[in-house]
Structure formats: C-alpha cells, structure tokens
Amino acid sequence: MTTEVYTTNRLRGPVNAAFFQLIGGGLDRFLHARKQRVFADVPDTVVELGSGVGANLRYLRPGSTLIAVEPNRAMHARLRTAAQRRGVRLEVRAVAGERIDLPDASADFVLSSLVLCTVSDPARVLAEVRRILRPGGRYAFTEHVLASDSRALRNVQRMVRRPWAWCFEGCSCERDLATTIENAGFAHVDIETYRIRSPFLPINSQIAGIATA
Ligand SMILES: C[S@@+](CC[C@H](N)C(=O)[O-])C[C@H]1O[C@@H](n2cnc3c(N)ncnc32)[C@H](O)[C@@H]1O
C-alpha cells in the first residue's frame, strides 16, 4: 500500500539524523567515484529526493539551489546547517517522493542516493520524477540493491531484513531497483551495477546511473 503521508519517528528520526551525519564522510568514500560520475554537470538548480542531512551537498556548486524533497522533519535542521556551510541555497519540501509538490516538467535534474530503498513505493516515486522532469531532463542515482549475483550476500540481506527495516525506518536491502528504474518509462537509462567493500555488508550491492526523461 502506498503511504503518501510520512510520519517522522520521534526516536529513530533524530537518531538516524545523527547517525547519517556521523557516517556521512565515511560512506561517501565508498560511493565517491560513482557519485562524481553521475552527479557531474549538475545544473544550478537541482531537486533531490531524500536529502537526509546533506550527504550530496558536496557535489553541488556554492551558490546553486537545492530543492530537497525530504519528508523526515528530523533531518531538516542538520540539512539547513550543512547547506549554509556549503553556500547552497536550500528549499525544503517536507513531502514524500510519492507525491512531490512541484509542477509538471519543472526540473532539469533530479538526484537521489540511498533513498529508493526506503520509500514506500519506488515505482510511484519514479513516476513522480518523470512527471517533474522536463523532456531530456536527467535523474541521477546511486542506490543499494538486492545482491542478485551473490547468494551469501542475499542471505545476509534476508537475515537482517526486520531489524534493518526497523532501525532505518523502512529501508529494504532486497529491492531490485535496477529493474524498477528500467521499467519506469524513461526515454533512456544507463545503469552500472557494482560492489563496494563497506563494513555495512547488506548495502554492498550497488547501482549508479542516469535516467533521461
Ligand atoms: C538512508 S537515508 C539517505 C539520505 C541521503 N540521501 C544520503 O545519501 O545520506 C534515506 C532518506 O530517504 C528519506 N525518505 C524516506 N522516505 C521517503 C519518501 N517517501 N520520500 C522521500 N524521501 C524519503 C529519509 O528521510 C532519509 O533522509
């Protein structure tokens, strides 16, 4: 069932905000090469799904504008502070990606990292991304996915399923997001599947790419 109303968890919301701030730099080292590739040529105004506490601000130019679709209010204060520090103008939309309050064909560039794992309905979020992108606009992503090429990793993902989803507010490590993105109706999709070697085994299967509307 799709939930469009997001309720910030009073315990896990602030804990996750602090956690992602703490591990942000370390996590970025594992994803940096792909992020540099897919977040290259970012225009001056960008829409981001699930900005969290601002892990991707470092890929935006100072003076640019970030429209952050971030329903988790526990993230907002840290996100604002980080944007100010990076000199990025910030517009926060406290809505879920399943129903983005932006007009049709109003964005040139949408990005996300480690977000489609957590949204209630990835296909619906991608339909919203397509709706708000202008023809030719780009959706750039780095996401963790089901380890379809490794039974050992799949077992790990299955074993941690419930505690992981509880801790990380609905996050699933078992989504085949490459297929979901390929089936989302974009004009062109370029996806790379790769493996990182982080201590967070369930998220080591990754995809990165660009989908063009
Ligand atoms: C694992 S965190 C990733 C944060 C950040 N993108 C990063 O790379 O560190 C997932 C983020 O998705 C956000 N989120 C959860 N459900 C969402 C939804 N339905 N629409 C948009 N964002 C959502 C969460 O609030 C959280 O900030």
Side-chain angles (χ1 to χ4, degrees):
M1 194 182 81
T2 300
T3 48
E4 284 155 15
V5 179
Y6 184 99
T7 307
T8 299
N9 185 285
R10 280 196 304 181
L11 169 67
R12 282 165 285 159
V15 169
N16 275 321
F19 177 75
F20 281 105
Q21 178 130 36
L22 194 69
I23 66 158
L27 198 52
D28 187 71
R29 276 194 278 284
F30 292 108
L31 303 175
H32 185 68
R34 266 62 179 211
K35 283 190 177 182
Q36 258 194 330
R37 181 172 75 77
V38 298
F39 299 161
D41 306 324
V42 174
D44 283 338
T45 300
V46 185
V47 177
E48 181 175 22
L49 308 172
S51 304
V53 294
N56 295 321
L57 286 165
R58 69 193 84 213
Y59 297 94
L60 307 184
R61 277 183 293 280
S64 58
T65 298
L66 173 64
I67 302 171
V69 176
E70 177 51 81
N72 188 342
R73 292 177 188 275
M75 302 286 175
H76 292 178
R78 290 173 194 269
L79 177 59
R80 285 186 212 285
T81 304
Q84 209 165 22
R85 206 175 50 238
R86 297 259 174 201
V88 170
R89 275 190 285 269
L90 179 67
E91 206 182 290
V92 177
R93 306 272 170 154
V95 296
E98 284 84 352
R99 187 170 286 217
I100 302 173
D101 58 349
L102 291 171
D104 295 358
S106 60
D108 292 311
F109 200 97
V110 178
L111 66 88
S112 75
S113 70
L114 314 180
V115 170
L116 294 181
C117 51
T118 305
V119 302
S120 306
D121 186 341
R124 178 141 183 193
V125 170
L126 292 168
E128 280 291 87
V129 170
R130 274 186 57 218
R131 180 184 68 73
I132 67 168
L133 278 174
R134 294 195 180 92
R138 289 168 291 160
Y139 166 51
F141 51 88
T142 64
E143 296 285 343
H144 68 84
V145 294
L146 176 76
S148 43
D149 60 342
S150 160
R151 181 185 290 196
L153 261 189
R154 267 203 319 279
N155 284 340
V156 173
Q157 292 177 327
R158 183 168 40 76
M159 278 187 313
V160 301
R161 181 186 297 159
R162 291 181 70 165
W164 190 275
W166 188 87
C167 289
F168 298 115
E169 302 184 83
C171 178
S172 167
C173 299
E174 297 176 282
R175 292 185 177 174
D176 176 6
L177 294 170
T179 302
T180 311
I181 294 170
E182 275 159 358
N183 292 339
F186 288 97
H188 181 74
V189 179
D190 168 19
I191 300 187
E192 177 190 3
T193 302
Y194 66 106
R195 182 86 59 83
I196 59 172
R197 292 180 189 280
S198 85
F200 305 107
L201 294 183
I203 67 158
N204 280 356
S205 267
Q206 294 269 336
I207 57 169
I210 298 179
T212 307

